[in-house]
Every structure is written in structure tokens, then in C-alpha cells.
């Protein structure tokens, strides 16, 4: 249900508003597939961005790896 076009469009908007150095990778649970987004969707990590993404996609949907 999170893969609906309107949800993905909102996610795209959130990422563009938080431009920064961190690459973004989406994980599609149904297919167990990762998709690295282009450089134009790199973000500046922040608690506010993470909260907004979790509000959109659900709790514990943001993972930062290093």
C-alpha cells in the first residue's frame, strides 16, 4: 500500500526539500528489492525528515547505515 503513486510523490517531495550529502535507497518489502535513488534525491539527515518519512510510510521505516 506504500507503493501507491501519491505516496511515492509525497516521498519524492520530502526528499527534494531536504537536499544534502546522504544517498537514499528504497527497499521494496514485497519483492525484497533495493533501489538506489539518483543523486538528486540525496538528503541531509535530520530528526524532522525522519519523522516526516515515518508519518508517511510508517514507524521504523527509516534506517541510516554507515
Amino acid at each position: 500500500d506504500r507503493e501507491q503513486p501519491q505516496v511515492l510523490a509525497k516521498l519524492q517531495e520530502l526528499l527534494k526539500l531536504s537536499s544534502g550529502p546522504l544517498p537514499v535507497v528504497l527497499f521494496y518489502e514485497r519483492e525484497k528489492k533495493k533501489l538506489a535513488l539518483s543523486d538528486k534525491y540525496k538528503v541531509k539527515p535530520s530528526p524532522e525528515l525522519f519523522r516526516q518519512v515515518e508519518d508517511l510510510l510508517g514507524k521504523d521505516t527509516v534506517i541510516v547505515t554507515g
Side-chain angles (χ1 to χ4, degrees), residues 15-35:
L15 297 177
K16 284 183 177 181
L17 290 172
S18 299
S19 183
L22 188 70
V24 174
V25 177
L26 299 181
F27 180 71
Y28 290 88
E29 292 175 335
R30 193 176 321 144
E31 295 102 15
K32 305 291 185 219
K33 179 175 135 182
K34 292 180 184 178
L35 174 65

Side-chain angles (χ1 to χ4, degrees), residues 43-55:
V43 296
K44 178 180 179 185
S46 71
E48 178 64 17
L49 172 62
F50 299 159
R51 184 194 59 75
Q52 290 175 325
V53 172
E54 287 190 338
D55 285 350

